[in-house]
């Protein structure tokens, strides 16, 4: 990874705000970085030298400039250029990665041929927007690269994209589960990374569902975290491709499933997260608020608890404390929460024909309650 690369200023549109209300800086996708590197290399091959910084036009009209971290003309009519990815203030695992394009010209009419270099994965499972065997350079970045090259000359070129160390970085992503092996994906629809937009996570959820459907799976499970994921996988003997890392985005998963259904979906999670779902929330992140203990007290009453128990729960501090109080009184609060959460989830996918069930797990992965399994009617 090259050092000392200067990052360009970002175009300033409406900005996200952080916890301190300071503006959060937007960044660039790997697709935008790959486009800039490819354009610089192609310009050099066409006798225009390496533009530095190199300016590209994004799909929505922005025209950012990227400093080159490396560039070279290589033997055999090949040019190489690279930029360092700046994800702005987004917690992106590829922030600081070197995105390199190695370009050579092809005979007229060849178009742009894409290849995966070091650290860029290859598609091995159906269901993604690329055929099996293709380099994991998504359609959006491919279109951006073709358009950028066409600004210089007829875009007939072989473009290899690489990210040194990308295979190691990919271990921190969902690529393996999606069947993208050997490295990272080159992503980006707009070219811009919006801090904390969670767009990459939602994208991963959608692609996971697409892969599960394309491989013929009839049951997927979305989990709020690693403990519930491992527990539901073991409980239902699910293959890896059936596991959807939905995190806090249960609404995002269920809404996509409503339009792209499978026969059965399980929502798996811990106490606090599924309490929020039971209370009608489809975004389970803490920034959307904590567990409503007053509402949990009402559910405890529905489970047969006393008024005194409900009062203690309402005056408590956490969902964990509420469940401990209920258990001490012999009240089956987990069953009521799981049932109510299932009702909320089922309403989201109404009309899709899918069966929804909910599995509620303790912190150690112990199954506390389950609602809506087909065997239960």
């Amino acid at each position: 990874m090259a050092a000392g690369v200067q990052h360009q200023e970002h175009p300033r549109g409406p900005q996200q705000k952080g916890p301190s209300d300071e503006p959060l800086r937007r960044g660039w996708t790997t697709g935008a970085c790959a486009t800039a590197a490819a354009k610089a290399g192609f310009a050099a091959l066409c006798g225009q030298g390496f533009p530095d910084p190199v300016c590209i036009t994004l799909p929505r009209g922005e025209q950012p400039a990227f400093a080159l971290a490396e560039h070279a003309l290589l033997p055999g009519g090949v040019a190489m250029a690279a930029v360092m990815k700046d994800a702005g203030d987004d917690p992106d695992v590829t922030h600081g990665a070197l995105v390199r394009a190695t370009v050579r010209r092809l005979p007229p009419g060849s178009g742009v041929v894409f290849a995966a270099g070091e650290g860029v994965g290859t598609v091995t499972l159906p269901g993604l927007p690329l055929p099996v065997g293709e380099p994991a350079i998504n359609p959006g970045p491919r279109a951006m690269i073709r358009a950028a090259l066409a600004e210089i000359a007829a875009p007939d070129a072989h473009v290899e994209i690489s990210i040194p160390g990308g295979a190691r970085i990919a271990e921190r992503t969902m690529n393996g589960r999606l069947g993208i092996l050997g490295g990272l994906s080159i992503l980006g629809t707009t070219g811009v990374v919006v801090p904390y937009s969670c767009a990459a996570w939602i994208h991963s959820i959608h692609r996971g569902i697409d892969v599960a459907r394309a491989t013929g799976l009839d049951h997927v499970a979305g989990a709020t975290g690693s403990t519930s994921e491992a527990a539901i996988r073991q409980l239902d003997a699910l293959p890896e491709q059936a596991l959807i890392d939905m995190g806090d985005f249960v609404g995002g998963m269920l809404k996509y499933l409503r339009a792209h259904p499978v026969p059965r979906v399980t929502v798996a999670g811990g106490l606090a997260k599924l309490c929020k779902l039971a209370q009608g929330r489809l975004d389970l992140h803490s920034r959307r608020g904590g567990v409503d203990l007053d509402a949990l007290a009402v559910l405890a009453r529905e489970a047969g608890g006393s008024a005194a128990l409900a009062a203690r729960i309402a005056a408590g501090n956490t969902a964990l404390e509420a469940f401990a109080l209920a258990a001490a009184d012999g009240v089956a609060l987990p069953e009521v929460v799981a049932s109510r959460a299932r009702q909320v989830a089922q309403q989201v996918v109404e009309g899709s024909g899918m069966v929804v069930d909910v599995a509620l797990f303790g912190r150690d992965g112990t199954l506390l309650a389950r609602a809506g399994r087909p065997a239960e009617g």
Side-chain angles (χ1 to χ4, degrees):
M1 195 176 290
V5 179
Q6 295 181 353
H7 300 307
Q8 301 300 302
E9 262 189 57
H10 298 306
R12 296 290 185 172
Q15 294 176 324
Q16 305 290 313
K17 296 286 187 177
S20 63
D21 288 333
E22 291 296 320
L24 294 177
R25 194 166 54 87
R26 295 186 175 195
W28 310 118
T29 64
T30 48
C33 296
T35 299
K39 182 178 181 180
F42 193 60
L45 288 181
C46 293
Q48 299 180 15
F50 288 96
D52 189 5
V54 54
C55 182
I56 63 171
T57 301
L58 299 180
R60 296 190 298 201
E62 303 102 319
Q63 293 187 314
F66 295 79
L68 297 184
E70 334 176 314
H71 61 84
L73 287 172
L74 305 174
V78 176
M80 179 278 295
V83 303
M84 191 170 287
K85 177 172 174 176
D86 183 353
D89 289 324
D90 194 70
D92 189 318
V93 296
T94 58
H95 177 71
L98 194 69
V99 182
R100 180 184 292 144
T102 304
V103 185
R104 59 182 171 84
R105 301 196 71 172
L106 294 176
S110 298
V112 180
V113 177
F114 293 95
E118 177 194 354
V120 173
T122 299
V123 177
T124 66
L125 289 176
L128 296 173
L130 296 167
V132 171
E134 280 290 303
I137 304 169
N138 270 21
R142 291 183 185 223
M144 284 196 290
I145 291 171
R146 290 190 188 98
L149 269 53
E151 294 176 10
I152 299 168
D156 298 307
H158 183 278
V159 177
E160 179 187 278
I161 305 299
S162 59
I163 301 179
R168 185 179 64 255
I169 299 171
E171 294 174 359
R172 298 161 60 192
T173 73
M174 292 293 105
N175 276 14
R177 182 171 296 172
L178 297 175
I180 298 171
L181 302 183
L184 293 161
S185 305
I186 304 299
L187 301 173
T189 302
T190 66
V192 179
V193 174
V194 179
Y196 305 105
S197 67
C198 302
W201 201 319
I202 295 291
H203 173 90
S204 178
I205 290 171
H206 292 179
R207 299 295 77 79
I209 292 168
D210 291 344
V211 168
R213 283 165 46 87
T215 53
L217 295 177
D218 60 4
H219 178 196
V220 300
T224 59
S226 57
T227 298
S228 53
E229 180 180 278
I232 195 62
R233 181 179 189 180
Q234 181 176 16
L235 190 64
D236 286 356
L238 293 171
E240 187 175 18
Q241 272 69 45
L243 303 172
I244 308 298
D245 184 13
M246 72 175 185
D248 294 318
F249 303 107
V250 61
M253 181 188 75
L254 292 172
K255 290 172 184 177
Y256 193 76
L257 280 166
R258 182 176 61 202
H260 307 83
V262 296
R264 179 182 170 199
V265 57
T266 298
V267 175
L271 298 176
K273 298 291 188 183
L274 292 193
C275 280
K276 294 178 185 179
L277 178 60
Q279 292 162 8
R281 301 185 202 174
L282 297 178
D283 182 343
L284 309 181
H285 196 280
S286 58
R287 68 175 177 271
R288 300 298 185 191
V291 173
D292 184 340
L293 293 174
D294 289 331
L296 200 54
V298 172
L299 291 183
R301 288 286 279 164
E302 291 183 13
S306 66
L309 172 63
R312 291 198 302 274
I313 289 174
N317 293 318
T318 66
L320 186 62
E321 181 185 1
F323 279 90
L325 290 169
D329 276 18
V331 174
L333 186 56
E335 284 82 352
V336 176
V337 169
S339 178
R340 186 62 58 85
R342 180 193 174 265
Q343 291 173 18
V344 173
Q346 189 73 61
Q347 288 171 1
V348 178
V349 300
E350 198 67 39
S352 66
M354 285 193 300
V355 173
V356 178
D357 71 276
V358 167
L360 178 62
F361 294 99
R363 288 186 172 185
D364 61 354
T366 301
L367 180 66
L368 303 178
R370 194 160 194 182
R373 285 188 296 174
E376 299 173 357

